[in-house]
């Protein structure tokens, strides 16, 4: 069994670099969720990421870069992708672009695709990647199909026996994974709603985002049961049933809320940003209450609500389907 250390981000860069150079994988904070990071050019490191997560090998990883020149050495940017990168990087946006044949990314990381998902994160990861001088492959730091981790403790509870180091920078400020976009035939396709609301992207791009062709093989992690707590999840709940826990939102409560086994409110004031930050940790906490069902109050679809509802509907999806997870 691996001894997993948690180090504060302020002390962690050197030990993190030493482990990454040795082909190990470690958990690092990003502004979205914690990532399970390894050198994207090292096949052994990339294989360890899949192994630690229990992730199907056909599900490609995001390569995280420190700056635009690293990004351009890996992917081929069309003008619209470059415009979006300039507007939103560093930040919670992932762009799928054509992979340069000489990029040096290990083919395991891209699952053999001719495209690559690229993201420039904020915070500890940015400095780490710059110091390493190589891109980091990093999926969310959770076992495949489980809820993403928004704190170092949550990573250790899930993956602590499989990795040597978790770098701790506290709770992740966005709390949801990045938005994934692909420019296709001059149009913009949303592969996964996330930390940048689609409306903000439309404003910068000056054109609509196609939300209706996501969740196919190109983003296998987008299919069916995912982000699954142990309890069943019931959406758009207008009332709380016997033995249920309640995930609330805003000032107005569902009927019989006082009978819930446990209640957590994503945001008393109905603020979607605050709700996004709390979503995964509250789902975990309600799951730990022992309730068999987590009832969820309705959450509006605008702004970050689109990504919140996406994660909740995956958490509620049937669990017995043999589908891809990430
Ligand atoms: O915020 C985030 O994006 C976090 C942090 C750690 O960066 N990462 C993350 O990674 O959520 P992961 O692996 O859990 O989700 C990445 C998604 C998967 O659904 C994968 O299928 C998709 O990106 N993906 C990766 N490469 C792709 C590609 N070339 N084309 C389409 N989808 C791709
Ligand atoms: Mg994930």
């Amino acid at each position: 069994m691996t001894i997993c250390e948690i180090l504060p981000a302020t002390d962690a860069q050197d030990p993190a670099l030493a482990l990454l150079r040795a082909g190990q994988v470690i958990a690092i904070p990003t502004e979205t969720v914690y990532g399970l990071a390894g050198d994207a050019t090292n096949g052994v490191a990339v294989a360890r990421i899949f192994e630690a997560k229990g992730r199907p090998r056909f599900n490609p990883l995001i390569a995280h870069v420190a700056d635009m020149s690293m990004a351009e050495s890996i992917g081929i940017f069309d003008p619209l992708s470059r415009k979006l990168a300039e507007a939103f990087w560093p930040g919670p946006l992932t762009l799928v672009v054509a992979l340069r044949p000489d990029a040096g990314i290990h083919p395991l990381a891209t699952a053999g695709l001719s495209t690559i998902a690229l993201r420039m994160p904020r915070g500890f990861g940015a400095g780490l990647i710059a110091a390493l001088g190589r891109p980091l492959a990093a999926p969310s730091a959770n076992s495949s199909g489980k809820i993403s981790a928004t704190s170092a403790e949550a990573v250790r509870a899930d993956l602590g026996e499989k990795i040597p180091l978790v770098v701790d920078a506290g709770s992740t400020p966005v709390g949801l994974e990045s938005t994934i976009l692909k420019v296709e035939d001059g149009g913009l396709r949303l592969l996964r709603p996330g930390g940048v609301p689609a409306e903000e992207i439309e404003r910068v791009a000056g054109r609509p985002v196609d939300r209706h062709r996501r969740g196919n093989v190109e983003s296998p992690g987008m299919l069916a049961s995912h982000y699954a707590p142990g309890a069943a999840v019931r959406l758009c709940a207008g009332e709380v049933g016997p033995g249920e826990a309640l995930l609330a939102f805003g000032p107005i409560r569902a009927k019989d809320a006082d009978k819930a086994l446990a209640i957590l409110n994503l945001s008393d004031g109905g603020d979607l940003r605050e709700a996004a930050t709390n979503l995964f940790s509250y789902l975990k906490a309600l799951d730990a209450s022992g309730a068999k069902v987590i009832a969820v109050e309705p959450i509006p679809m605008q702004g970050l609500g689109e990504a919140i509802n996406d994660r909740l509907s995956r958490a509620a999806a049937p669990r017995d389907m043999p589908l891809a997870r990430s």
Side-chain angles (χ1 to χ4, degrees), residues 32 55 59-60 62 64 115 119 139-140 178 180 192 218-220:
T32 58
R55 173 168 171 136
N59 192 358
I62 297 172
H64 295 69
T115 56
R119 173 160 118 74
S140 51
S178 59
I180 306 183
R192 175 176 77 182
E218 278 193 276
S219 228

Side-chain angles (χ1 to χ4, degrees), residues 28-272:
I28 60 166
T30 82
E31 73 278 51
T32 58
V33 296
Y34 278 73
L36 187 61
D39 178 348
T41 67
N42 178 335
V44 173
V46 176
R48 284 191 170 125
I49 294 174
F50 283 97
E51 174 103 352
K53 265 186 83 94
R55 173 168 171 136
R57 299 291 195 278
F58 56 78
N59 192 358
L61 305 177
I62 297 172
H64 295 69
V65 297
D67 51 44
M68 207 55 212
S69 81
M70 192 183 276
E72 304 243 20
S73 73
I74 300 169
I76 301 167
F77 283 72
D78 57 278
L80 184 52
S81 296
R82 186 172 293 112
K83 183 174 186 184
L84 292 170
E86 279 162 7
F88 294 104
W89 282 359
L93 175 68
T94 295
L95 292 166
V96 173
V97 293
L99 174 67
R100 281 189 194 283
D102 59 348
I105 301 289
H106 196 277
L108 249 186
T110 52
L113 295 177
S114 58
T115 56
I116 183 149
L118 287 172
R119 173 160 118 74
M120 191 190 296
R122 274 185 204 288
F124 179 83
L128 185 68
I129 297 162
L132 184 69
R134 292 185 196 163
L136 285 179
S140 51
N142 53 279
S143 298
S144 186
K146 295 294 175 203
I147 296 170
S148 299
T150 54
S151 70
E153 256 322 315
V155 178
R156 181 154 70 176
D158 183 0
L159 298 172
E161 293 182 4
K162 296 175 178 153
I163 56 175
L165 175 65
V166 181
V167 179
D168 187 356
S171 291
T172 55
V174 176
L176 288 174
E177 301 84 350
S178 59
T179 302
I180 306 183
L181 275 180
K182 186 180 185 191
V183 173
E184 222 173 46
D185 307 325
L188 269 174
R189 200 169 141 202
L190 183 68
L191 297 180
R192 175 176 77 182
V196 181
E199 294 93 317
E200 276 184 36
I201 289 162
E202 290 177 329
R203 217 171 298 134
V204 169
R207 65 186 80 188
V209 164
D210 179 356
R211 297 163 158 84
H212 303 295
R213 286 186 302 136
R214 52 182 221 238
N216 62 17
V217 279
E218 278 193 276
S219 228
M222 285 304 296
L223 294 177
S225 174
H226 198 69
Y227 308 99
V233 174
R234 187 164 70 78
L235 302 179
C236 266
E239 60 180 63
V240 178
E244 290 186 346
L246 179 65
L247 185 63
F249 176 79
I252 301 161
R253 283 298 60 72
K255 187 165 166 276
D256 292 333
D258 52 326
K259 301 195 181 110
L261 214 60
I263 302 188
L264 287 172
N265 195 331
L266 288 171
S267 169
D268 292 315
D271 177 47
L272 289 164

